[in-house]
Amino acid sequence: MFNFKHEWVETNVGVMLVLVMLAISVGGLVEITPLFFIKNTVEPVKGVYPYTPLELRGRDIYQANGCFYCHSQMIRPFRDEALRYGHYSLAAESQYDHPFLWGSERQGPDLARVGGKYSNEWMVQHLISPRSVVPESIMPAFPFLEQPLAYNDIEQRMEALRDAGVPYALTPAENARNIKQFGPKIAEELYIPDAKKNLIAQARAGDYDGHPGQITQMDALVAYLQVLGTMVDFSKYPNDQFVQDR
Amino acid sequence: MTDQVQSQAPQTTGHVWDGDLQEYNNPLPAWWVWAFYATVVFALIYWVLYPAWPLGKGFTKGMDTITYVNNLGQTKTVPWNTRALLMKEMNKAAAEQKPYFEKVMATPYAQIVHDPELSNFVLSAGRSLFLNNCAACHQSGGQGLHGLSANLTDDYWLYGGTFAKIQQTITYGRHGYMPPFRDVLSGTQIAQLANYVVSLSGQPADQTAAKAGDVLFHSQTAACYYCHGVNAKGRSVIGSANLTAPVSWIWTAYRSSNTPAENVAAVAHTIEGGVYKGVMPTWKDRLTPVQIKVLTAYVHELGGGQ
């Protein structure tokens, strides 16, 4: 019979290391692991698709400039938030986000459903000089976003996300799967070999920054902001549709 | 006190390292230990009452329930969760506001603004809606911002300032557009037009050029009158500007404080490049019909309503 003594643990640093790691991982395992198995963690909902190449670069710029330090992207199911920001965020709406940009601070307003709330012009003006449109704003100015957008590595960025499980298509077979899942129009945007072409086309057509001739970081960031929270059409569901998932 | 501590023999944990290294045992205070046990008991009760433990593909739902009515009128009772709690709270607030909103919905605009109780409600509810949704562009007082958004407090409206027009604008949004003329007209022609347009609002301009501009304005070459109207007062159906308005415009840096030459240059700039902005977002998917009605009345009462 193994004679277990506390002293044995305390005097064997290797054993203690293993046992400490086991002990502290219990909390994480108990809270996180079941979420992978519970059916409704990610709500079944129509309309959510991975970002287009331009929106994806916009998301990178959002991250690079640390927007998430002051802006959350997580509308909680509270009345005051529902009135100000709209429908509470669904897990399904962040399912293609790596990493999540939920944030934890709100020096600025929540941006989970900012898409469509303001015009592109307002977004550009506000990013260049926040106080010119919102006098009481404490947001820093981002005039340097009007520099050209680097998108030569867009394919690699998409491939990295594909490795993480985002359904960007690298092969015609994957493209066919996407056409089935998202429809031909969105599937086209998710096809990695056409990424550069799609990015340029969206920036030209959208002209988010008001300079149709050039593709800037502003184009990408505004394209991203304008799609936030707009993918799910909540009018298609009863207003308690997602109650059953909790 | 000091005597008491000294009279007690020091307690150790009983471990001895390296032959003589010992550790004092300092037990936690009793109140702390009992508080800890109390939290354990609290957790046990909580686990039974509320959603807690994962079980394969689901989780324990708890015993507490919430009853609410959804927008299809179905009454549902579900295990306690924050999303159901939100439904219940929204229902409760909606029930309190219902008499007002129903009255707003049932009353024509003209009566709303003359009914003291209703107009009070509309102005305060409208203000909070306006600040959250409209003020970013139109500014908190509705005075607008040059180069970005329309002034809602003056007498000039691009798309019309009646209740019906304001409601239409909020519901479906707008997109300003004027074609660029730099490839259609010569520099001289543009300068002539600019002088004519500046003269329309009584500002000083080169009269000879303005006369030539008048002819161009009403000709098939420039065809400005198609959109701005023969009298240049604009057409609210398409949102073309009233060029006779003596106030600063949205897209053109045209001000009564400018020198005449600056104003002519500013107008020429707009004629050359056109206008492809002035996007007002669509609100029908973000606001409910009654919210739009409240906002319409609020905007109308900002000072410029027709």
Side-chain angles (χ1 to χ4, degrees):
Chain A
M1 182 72 198
F2 179 66
N3 187 12
F4 182 82
K5 271 195 151 171
H6 205 264
E7 195 176 340
W8 176 70
V9 177
E10 290 188 35
T11 52
N12 285 281
V13 70
V15 176
M16 187 149 91
L17 192 75
V18 171
L19 291 178
V20 164
M21 278 169 59
L22 274 179
I24 59 178
S25 59
V26 167
L29 289 172
V30 167
E31 287 188 22
I32 298 163
T33 319
L35 294 176
F36 289 97
F37 299 98
I38 294 173
K39 243 186 354 196
N40 293 337
T41 300
V42 178
E43 307 87 348
V45 61
K46 283 202 178 105
V48 184
Y49 58 86
Y51 298 109
T52 65
L54 185 69
E55 290 156 13
L56 180 62
R57 282 301 284 130
R59 202 185 112 94
D60 293 338
I61 288 157
Y62 183 94
Q63 271 181 274
N65 286 286
C67 306
F68 56 87
Y69 284 121
C70 296
H71 292 284
S72 57
Q73 284 188 25
M74 165 63 73
I75 304 169
R76 297 170 292 181
F78 303 149
R79 182 166 171 261
D80 56 331
E81 300 206 4
L83 291 178
R84 180 166 180 191
Y85 302 122
H87 196 285
Y88 49 80
S89 297
L90 302 178
E93 291 178 289
S94 329
Q95 63 183 306
Y96 300 126
D97 278 14
H98 295 277
F100 300 123
L101 296 177
W102 297 330
S104 59
E105 300 214 10
R106 279 188 186 157
Q107 271 79 19
D110 188 278
L111 299 181
R113 296 204 192 287
V114 79
K117 185 167 183 179
Y118 307 109
S119 64
N120 294 344
E121 301 152 63
W122 184 90
M123 283 290 185
V124 172
Q125 170 89 19
H126 180 253
L127 283 161
I128 293 173
S129 172
R131 272 157 297 286
S132 71
V133 281
V134 185
E136 66 274 24
S137 172
I138 56 164
M139 188 171 110
F142 293 85
F144 47 83
L145 290 174
E146 290 195 308
Q147 63 182 291
L149 176 73
Y151 54 84
N152 270 331
D153 55 355
I154 184 66
E155 290 92 350
Q156 286 93 313
R157 287 173 188 270
M158 290 168 86
E159 278 172 40
L161 285 169
R162 178 179 163 274
D163 291 343
V166 180
Y168 287 121
L170 200 51
T171 62
E174 289 174 348
N175 191 36
R177 174 209 63 198
N178 279 353
I179 291 173
K180 221 185 222 169
Q181 191 180 346
F182 300 107
K185 219 175 141 208
I186 292 168
E188 195 188 319
E189 294 281 350
L190 309 181
Y191 193 44
I192 298 176
D194 288 342
K196 262 191 207 104
K197 191 190 84 189
N198 288 330
L199 184 146
I200 295 167
Q202 192 186 350
R204 290 258 161 83
D207 186 21
Y208 300 92
D209 64 352
H211 302 296
Q214 43 185 312
I215 299 170
T216 60
Q217 294 193 351
M218 193 69 92
D219 276 317
L221 182 60
V222 174
Y224 169 66
L225 291 170
Q226 293 289 32
V227 81
L228 279 180
T230 61
M231 292 181 187
V232 177
D233 183 357
F234 287 97
S235 68
K236 286 196 177 142
Y237 298 98
N239 68 348
D240 66 337
Q241 171 76 18
F242 305 101
V243 169
Q244 68 198 13
D245 297 318
R246 289 293 176 275
Chain B
M1 195 70 190
T2 319
D3 289 350
Q4 263 183 357
V5 173
Q6 281 177 345
S7 71
Q8 284 173 357
Q11 299 270 319
T12 69
T13 54
H15 299 245
V16 181
W17 286 272
D18 293 341
D20 59 353
L21 193 56
Q22 285 177 290
E23 188 184 3
Y24 280 128
N25 183 20
N26 291 311
L28 291 160
W31 67 265
W32 195 98
V33 175
W34 284 108
F36 176 71
Y37 291 144
T39 60
V40 173
V41 173
F42 177 86
L44 288 171
I45 297 168
Y46 192 93
W47 289 344
V48 177
L49 290 181
Y50 291 99
W53 285 98
L55 299 167
K57 290 187 173 176
F59 51 88
T60 58
K61 302 264 182 184
M63 314 237 320
D64 201 1
T65 60
I66 289 179
T67 304
Y68 64 84
V69 185
N70 71 3
N71 60 344
L72 305 178
Q74 299 158 329
T75 305
K76 292 190 184 175
T77 301
V78 297
W80 186 96
N81 71 69
T82 48
R83 291 176 177 185
L85 191 63
L86 173 70
M87 290 292 304
K88 195 179 158 189
E89 284 173 3
M90 294 294 273
N91 283 346
K92 185 166 164 263
E96 283 164 12
Q97 292 175 332
K98 202 176 166 197
Y100 291 96
F101 279 130
E102 271 183 351
K103 218 168 156 192
V104 167
M105 244 3 220
T107 313
Y109 282 114
Q111 279 177 38
I112 291 178
V113 294
H114 289 118
D115 178 325
E117 199 196 1
L118 266 191
S119 70
N120 238 346
F121 173 73
V122 161
L123 292 187
S124 71
R127 181 159 175 76
S128 80
L129 282 170
F130 189 87
L131 288 179
N132 182 14
N133 298 297
C134 318
C137 288
H138 292 287
Q139 307 296 286
S140 52
Q143 70 272 32
L145 201 58
H146 187 265
L148 187 78
S149 61
N151 184 339
L152 306 175
T153 65
D154 64 16
D155 293 334
Y156 298 93
W157 294 83
L158 287 172
Y159 298 92
T162 60
F163 287 113
K165 288 286 184 181
I166 297 173
Q167 180 177 325
Q168 188 187 36
T169 301
I170 298 175
T171 309
Y172 300 105
R174 298 291 187 188
H175 193 159
Y177 177 68
M178 169 172 149
F181 284 89
R182 68 164 74 82
D183 298 332
V184 183
L185 302 172
S186 71
T188 321
Q189 286 175 315
I190 288 175
Q192 288 168 340
L193 274 173
N195 272 289
Y196 171 64
V197 169
V198 167
S199 74
L200 281 174
S201 45
Q203 298 292 312
D206 179 340
Q207 286 308 315
T208 327
K211 272 220 178 82
D214 188 352
V215 176
L216 259 178
F217 189 93
H218 296 94
S219 71
Q220 294 301 324
T221 317
C224 308
Y225 73 96
Y226 269 35
C227 293
H228 290 285
V230 176
N231 56 11
K233 285 185 184 295
R235 289 167 59 197
S236 66
V237 180
I238 52 171
S240 56
N242 179 351
L243 303 176
T244 66
V247 287
S248 65
W249 299 343
I250 306 175
W251 309 120
T252 306
Y254 172 90
R255 295 181 184 84
S256 47
S257 60
N258 282 358
T259 64
E262 281 172 340
N263 279 337
V264 170
V267 173
H269 182 74
T270 301
I271 298 173
E272 277 171 8
V275 172
Y276 190 67
K277 40 192 177 182
V279 175
M280 158 127 178
T282 304
W283 294 93
K284 67 177 162 52
D285 302 325
R286 214 172 250 280
L287 301 174
T288 62
V290 71
Q291 283 177 318
I292 289 179
K293 189 161 184 186
V294 165
L295 259 179
T296 301
Y298 178 82
V299 169
H300 186 272
E301 294 307 292
L302 280 173
Q306 293 165 345

